[in-house]
Amino acid sequence: MPLQPTDDRRLASRAALAGRLRAVRAHSLALAGPLSAEDQGAQSMPDASPTKWHLAHTTWFVETLVLQAFAPSYRPFDERYGRLFNSYYESLGARHPRPQRGLLTRPALAEVLAYRAHVDQALQGLVDGADADTWAHAAPLLELSLQHEQQHQELILTDVLHLLSLNPLAPAYRSAAPTAFTATAGDQGWWQCAGGDAEIGHEARDGFAFDNEGPRHLVRLAPFALSRGLVTNREVQAFIADGGYRRPEFWLSDGWATVQAQGWQAPLYWRDEGRQFTLHGEQPIEPEAPACHLSFFEASALAAWAGARLPTEFEWEAAARAWGVAAPAGPGPLHPTPRRSSADLQCFGAVWQWTRSSYDPYPRFKPFAGTAAEYNGKFMVGQLVLRGSSCATPPGHSRLTYRNFFPPSARWQFSGVRLAKDLD
């Protein structure tokens, strides 16, 4: 799916994209606002990155893909930053090792913020001054850069949560307690689908999507049922009480080996006395809230214990499309909350939902053109697809066709479980 030249009729108008540029770039700084310089420079594990690195990497990305390609008079803020803040783009040269990003005490945070300001000023100049032909080529890459930054905004929150969870002081990222909702307890109910052909994937005329979301294609579904709500903390507590983490019959082989090696006994961030660590600090575990920070291995075991299974990503998309659910329009609490009513299907804005689908290319998949070809396709092995979005996903970044993906042992993301079962 190459990024093709476009015009203001196919993409947001130039003014609208300029507004998104300002809003998305400002939101990253707002997310970093509650953090000290020390917070922003620390790295808690190889899979996480310091906030300072996220701020610099997203700036390097748009500088490289947009400014250096379409602004002839632009001069990089610092030529050395490519080595420091390139993530995985082999075509763009050597990179600093990912597990050592926390060792980058230089440049200092103030220099990274100056770097962002330098690039933002140049981007505004490009938006204001590019001729029609240049804009037609630059606009799709600018939109990709903003979508890319929104992905990192979610990573900022997930990585900060992991970092702060390791501090014995249990500091809160945001001091305000999560918004309270009236819980909807009891049987969540099942939605039944008779099966048949389903259209899956993004339609090109529907606006931006990552290359891995298309092309749209037909999938044949057998009859199935999908739970209307997500697996709750109460259900996980019952799984634990029933010895779920000690009973190998529920686990995939690699999952059971991981449980033994890592000593898992509960979801990540669960603590003693019915409490869990959140972005709001330590909080009581809300029994009716969606269970969170579960790996694919745990999700699969929970489904087996419940006499169900995980849905395929195609079943998930077909159900969500039939339900007609919409992604949340604005920010919400930074922790999953209980269902507000039986009509709350929790497709978006609570937790990413593991599926039983391997992260593979769709039929006739084509990666983005140029440097952006490395964006998604190279990771299509050894990963599982998650669908929906989470409470950490920034507003405006959720789509019905969005395909998130992680390895099966990952559980520091806001990831949870929706159950499925076969129908005769």
Side-chain angles (χ1 to χ4, degrees):
M1 185 188 293
L3 286 168
Q4 298 290 349
T6 188
D7 57 41
D8 289 349
R9 293 169 298 175
R10 287 190 54 209
L11 196 68
S13 71
R14 192 181 299 218
L17 194 52
R20 268 183 46 73
L21 169 63
R22 292 188 292 270
V24 170
R25 297 285 286 170
H27 187 58
S28 296
L29 296 180
L31 291 175
L35 303 171
S36 68
E38 292 81 4
D39 291 332
Q40 295 191 50
Q43 181 178 17
S44 59
M45 63 172 173
D47 285 339
S49 297
T51 298
K52 183 178 75 172
W53 187 90
H54 286 299
L55 296 176
H57 165 72
T58 52
T59 303
W60 165 85
F61 187 92
V62 70
E63 177 185 55
T64 302
L65 267 68
V66 179
L67 288 177
Q68 293 189 5
F70 300 106
S73 63
Y74 176 77
R75 295 295 176 266
F77 183 83
D78 191 318
E79 296 279 2
R80 300 171 298 173
Y81 282 8
R83 185 185 184 98
L84 299 183
F85 303 125
N86 180 357
S87 53
Y88 52 74
Y89 292 88
E90 301 285 351
S91 63
L92 296 177
R95 300 168 316 288
H96 187 75
R98 179 175 180 175
Q100 298 176 19
R101 289 171 183 171
L103 302 180
L104 296 175
T105 58
R106 309 290 178 87
L109 176 60
E111 293 173 272
V112 168
L113 297 179
Y115 176 37
R116 286 182 67 89
H118 172 85
V119 166
D120 287 348
Q121 183 178 19
L123 285 171
Q124 190 61 54
L126 176 66
V127 172
D128 293 340
D131 59 44
D133 183 65
T134 299
W135 178 249
H137 288 80
L141 285 166
L142 179 56
E143 179 62 46
L144 174 63
S145 299
L146 297 179
Q147 297 280 342
H148 166 260
E149 182 148 353
Q150 288 182 300
Q151 290 183 310
H152 280 269
Q153 288 168 354
E154 183 160 357
L155 289 171
I156 286 173
L157 292 175
T158 55
D159 293 356
V160 163
L161 175 60
H162 189 267
L163 172 70
L164 296 181
S165 76
L166 301 178
N167 190 319
L169 300 178
Y173 165 78
R174 182 177 292 174
S175 58
T179 303
F181 293 105
T182 301
T184 299
D187 186 11
Q188 298 175 338
W190 294 83
W191 177 83
Q192 296 188 1
C193 176
D197 288 341
E199 286 194 325
I200 298 297
H202 185 263
E203 183 63 58
R205 64 173 178 268
D206 291 341
F208 177 86
F210 291 113
D211 53 4
N212 64 0
E213 297 177 51
R216 195 136 185 202
H217 60 289
L218 283 177
V219 171
R220 174 62 62 90
L221 301 176
F224 71 97
L226 209 63
S227 62
R228 292 182 178 272
L230 303 173
V231 168
T232 65
N233 289 325
R234 185 185 300 280
E235 291 167 296
V236 174
Q237 288 167 329
F239 173 74
I240 294 172
D242 198 32
Y245 280 90
R246 303 189 305 274
R247 297 174 60 180
E249 64 265 31
F250 298 134
W251 296 82
L252 297 169
S253 178
D254 285 352
W256 182 246
T258 303
V259 167
Q260 301 304 299
Q262 301 295 327
W264 291 354
Q265 301 180 50
L268 185 64
Y269 305 132
W270 279 30
R271 299 187 172 180
D272 294 336
E273 300 177 351
R275 299 181 68 80
Q276 62 185 326
F277 188 78
T278 75
L279 286 167
H280 303 280
E282 279 200 2
Q283 298 287 330
I285 296 173
E286 166 54 61
E288 304 308 330
C292 193
H293 302 298
L294 294 162
S295 67
F296 170 81
F297 292 141
E298 290 164 294
S300 176
L302 275 160
W305 171 80
R309 60 173 174 82
L310 298 180
T312 69
E313 66 166 316
F314 313 120
E315 292 170 334
W316 188 99
E317 184 174 328
R321 196 179 297 278
W323 291 341
V325 291
L334 292 179
H335 194 70
T337 55
R339 300 173 76 191
R340 306 186 195 198
S341 70
S342 59
D344 180 6
L345 300 171
Q346 298 177 304
C347 286
F348 300 102
V351 294
W352 288 100
Q353 295 142 57
W354 287 105
T355 75
R356 198 57 179 85
S357 296
S358 297
Y359 178 50
D360 291 323
Y362 286 165
R364 296 175 288 111
F365 165 78
K366 289 188 172 77
F368 289 140
T371 300
E374 296 188 64
Y375 201 96
N376 279 310
K378 65 193 287 182
F379 300 110
M380 290 176 172
V381 62
Q383 316 258 5
L384 279 300
V385 173
L386 301 94
R387 288 302 199 101
S389 66
S390 82
C391 55
T393 306
H397 194 63
S398 303
R399 286 185 299 281
L400 185 68
T401 58
Y402 201 116
R403 305 175 77 203
N404 205 347
F405 56 93
F406 281 98
S409 61
R411 61 181 192 156
W412 92 105
Q413 293 298 317
F414 287 86
S415 48
V417 188
R418 186 183 299 275
L419 298 178
K421 59 185 180 181
D422 298 323
L423 296 178
D424 293 334

